[in-house]
Amino acid sequence: MWLVCLFMPSRTKLSLSTFSYFISICYQKNMILTNPSIFNSTIRNKSNLHFFVLIVVLSFFTIRSQTANANNKADSLLRLYEIKSSDTSWMQVCQQLAAEYLFRAPDSGIFYAKKAIELADEKGYPYYSANIQKTLGACYIVKADYSTAETYLLLGTQGLLKLYQSDTTNKKYAKALSEIYTNMGLNYYYMGVPNKAIEAFITAIQFAEKIDDKKRVAICLSNIGNIYIEQKKYDKAIEYNQKSINIALENNDKVTLAQCYNNLGLCYLNLENADSAYYYFDKCRIIVRQENFDTNLPKLYMNFSNVFILEENYDSALYYADLSYITAQQLEYKENILAAKYSLAHIHRLLKNYKKSEKYLSEVVEEAKDKGNRYGFLVNEELALLYAEMGDYKKAYKYSVEFNRSQDSIFQEKSSKQIADMEAKYQSEKKEEKIKLLQETAKLNEATAKTNRIVLIAIIVILVLVIVLVFISYRSNKHKQLAEKMKIQQNAERKVLDAVIETEYKERKRFAEDLHDGLGVLLSTTRLYINEIEDSNKEEQKSLIKESNIMLDNAIANVRNIANNIMPAALKNNGFEVAFRAFTDRINASRKIKIKVRTINLDKHFKSNVEI
């Protein structure tokens, strides 16, 4: 199980350089970690035992060296811390310092986390104030002060939930909630309250799924599997850890893979299958070595110790328990220190080193006091067994009663039922969420279809309007063209009418001129001649009468010409062809133009208007 801190730095780690060197030497000597049976014989050899002690000492000094490197990073953060400001960057520096000191100096981590919270509250940054509670709670978990850790984790959860409820789409809030609920589950696990731990892990999964954080889902599934191990429900534990492994492999999540392999090793350890347990612990060791997950070493060493306890190889078990204790001290991880001391007490009892066993158990009792630690009741069972073997049956009975009185709900049927109910509730909620998602998808599809229908109707309406507008425009253009045509026709008719009127006017004018200038002059002259006859002698009278007759003949001829010009007699009497030929004959008589006439089908009368 892992702690979660925002801005998690490369924390103080027990370097694997020494551990890797140790492994390589072992490989060369065909010793431990690859073949437990070889280790069994090797560890009994006194000279080799001295070699292992030397490795432990080297590890101790290497850890010190790595701690110095971590201090350099802390020093650089401290210089930024000294430049105090009122913005969020200074709060982040404080939180990074808290995370930096989380495992090796949790009291310092608490100090800097509280400084960040004070500034966040002062400046009115509710998100930072609530989220940093996560780091503060983690520091108290490392100190094994679980009740205080619970207080701060609940306080941070309340603040984050309030923010999330105001904006459920904010992924930052959902991420912070998934992290803080993970820490809460871890804290309840260490407190020995599995039902609350499961509930917290399930809530963490629900928030992680909202932001598609598969790594968080995987680690929480693994943590739930770990709880089933303690409930001795190994089939469920293997099932949950296998689910977690599948997700972790998909996302190349080495952290979760290491934990799952460790958990599977614990399952088979409890099933007393030492070979399978060792196999999975060794897979975990490989990842730990490759990825430098040094904070996992205390538990890993303890698990190897338990494998050798199962095989009743107590010397090898004691070696790994001591190694777990040393690394846990260097990391200042209180929970692992208690676990290592409890294991050392158990192994020394099996080796009949009762005084050493009693010493370690006393220290566990003292350190677990008022911490709400699960070792508070486990140590009672171990003490009862210890004093029974020592022959102090009074004390054995006392601690046996204490153990039965304080036995945790983890072993009770009620707790199992609660966990099963919570799991069923979680599965039910997932089904409901799936149904809700399908319903929302159906609604979305329906809304999309409705929108598509509206869009289709709108397109049809627009097309109809366009067609109507085009038709109206076409009709308008047609009317405009007809109007233009009528206007042109009217203009043409007007021009024709004007031409007719002008022609008629010219004809009347010519007719008037012919009458006035031609016939009128002849008649006037004839009248003069006639008037002179009375006063003239006979010879003059004859001459005047002759001239008068000539004048009258000319006048008659002139009248005929005028009449013929107005309406040719030949046209009226003989038709178009005769009249036309008579007209051309007169032109030919001038001898200036010669016209030849050849007609086809014109020897008949036509309508007068056609002939005219």
Side-chain angles (χ1 to χ4, degrees), residues 153-427:
L153 290 172
L154 287 173
L155 187 63
T157 302
Q158 291 170 1
L160 288 171
L161 281 173
K162 186 176 180 181
L163 291 169
Y164 178 78
Q165 288 166 1
S166 66
D167 183 6
T168 56
T169 61
N170 194 315
K171 291 186 177 181
K172 180 174 68 174
Y173 298 154
K175 181 177 183 296
L177 281 165
S178 71
E179 291 172 348
I180 200 167
Y181 272 112
T182 303
N183 279 3
M184 285 181 68
L186 180 62
N187 190 60
Y188 284 128
Y189 167 77
Y190 287 137
M191 290 176 70
V193 190
N195 55 332
K196 286 190 175 182
I198 289 257
E199 186 177 1
F201 287 134
I202 288 175
T203 307
I205 289 172
Q206 290 170 340
F207 280 109
E209 287 175 341
K210 292 180 185 296
I211 57 174
D212 197 28
D213 186 352
K214 293 183 179 179
K215 289 186 177 182
R216 176 77 47 207
V217 172
I219 200 68
C220 289
L221 288 172
S222 176
N223 288 343
I224 293 172
N226 197 40
I227 293 173
Y228 279 121
I229 292 173
E230 295 207 0
Q231 284 195 308
K232 298 180 173 35
K233 294 184 176 181
Y234 304 118
D235 55 338
K236 296 289 289 183
I238 293 171
E239 176 190 344
Y240 270 84
N241 278 287
Q242 194 57 55
K243 286 180 181 179
S244 181
I245 286 172
N246 293 337
I247 298 173
L249 287 172
E250 181 184 344
N251 294 279
N252 195 27
D253 182 2
K254 301 293 186 180
V255 173
T256 304
L257 281 174
Q259 175 168 315
C260 289
Y261 290 142
N262 183 75
N263 288 351
L264 288 173
L266 288 173
C267 285
Y268 289 108
L269 181 65
N270 283 280
L271 290 169
E272 298 185 356
N273 186 338
D275 291 337
S276 295
Y278 189 90
Y279 169 77
Y280 281 109
F281 288 144
D282 194 53
K283 286 177 73 73
C284 176
R285 175 193 60 77
I286 292 170
I287 296 175
V288 167
R289 184 177 64 178
Q290 291 174 344
E291 303 297 327
N292 291 332
F293 295 152
D294 298 355
T295 54
N296 299 329
L297 287 175
K299 285 186 177 182
L300 186 59
Y301 293 149
M302 186 59 61
N303 291 335
F304 278 115
S305 175
N306 290 330
V307 171
F308 291 120
I309 290 173
L310 180 63
E311 293 185 332
E312 297 183 0
N313 185 346
Y314 301 129
D315 289 335
S316 301
L318 185 61
Y319 164 74
Y320 273 107
D322 279 326
L323 198 57
S324 176
Y325 179 56
I326 290 171
T327 53
Q329 280 187 315
Q330 294 305 312
L331 292 170
E332 297 184 11
Y333 204 163
K334 303 296 184 183
E335 176 68 23
N336 290 129
I337 292 172
L338 288 174
K341 286 184 176 182
Y342 178 82
S343 185
L344 285 167
H346 177 68
I347 296 168
H348 280 296
R349 180 177 65 79
L350 295 173
L351 290 170
K352 302 188 183 303
N353 297 326
Y354 298 130
K355 291 298 179 182
K356 287 187 177 181
S357 178
E358 185 179 22
K359 172 181 173 292
Y360 281 119
L361 289 173
S362 299
E363 290 178 5
V364 172
V365 170
E366 185 63 30
E367 292 176 21
K369 189 184 296 182
D370 300 326
K371 301 295 184 181
N373 192 285
R374 63 197 178 105
Y375 290 104
F377 77 90
L378 290 176
V379 78
N380 288 327
E381 181 185 30
E382 190 65 30
L383 282 167
L385 294 172
L386 173 65
Y387 287 120
E389 291 183 17
M390 291 174 67
D392 190 343
Y393 299 111
K394 183 178 180 180
K395 286 185 177 179
Y397 175 75
K398 172 189 172 184
Y399 285 109
S400 179
V401 170
E402 286 295 324
F403 171 73
N404 290 327
R405 183 184 300 167
S406 62
Q407 190 169 7
D408 195 85
S409 61
I410 193 170
F411 304 107
Q412 297 175 4
E413 182 180 352
K414 182 180 177 181
S415 176
S416 299
K417 185 176 183 302
Q418 286 177 332
I419 292 175
D421 290 343
M422 281 185 288
E423 183 184 1
K425 182 181 178 182
Y426 169 62
Q427 296 298 337

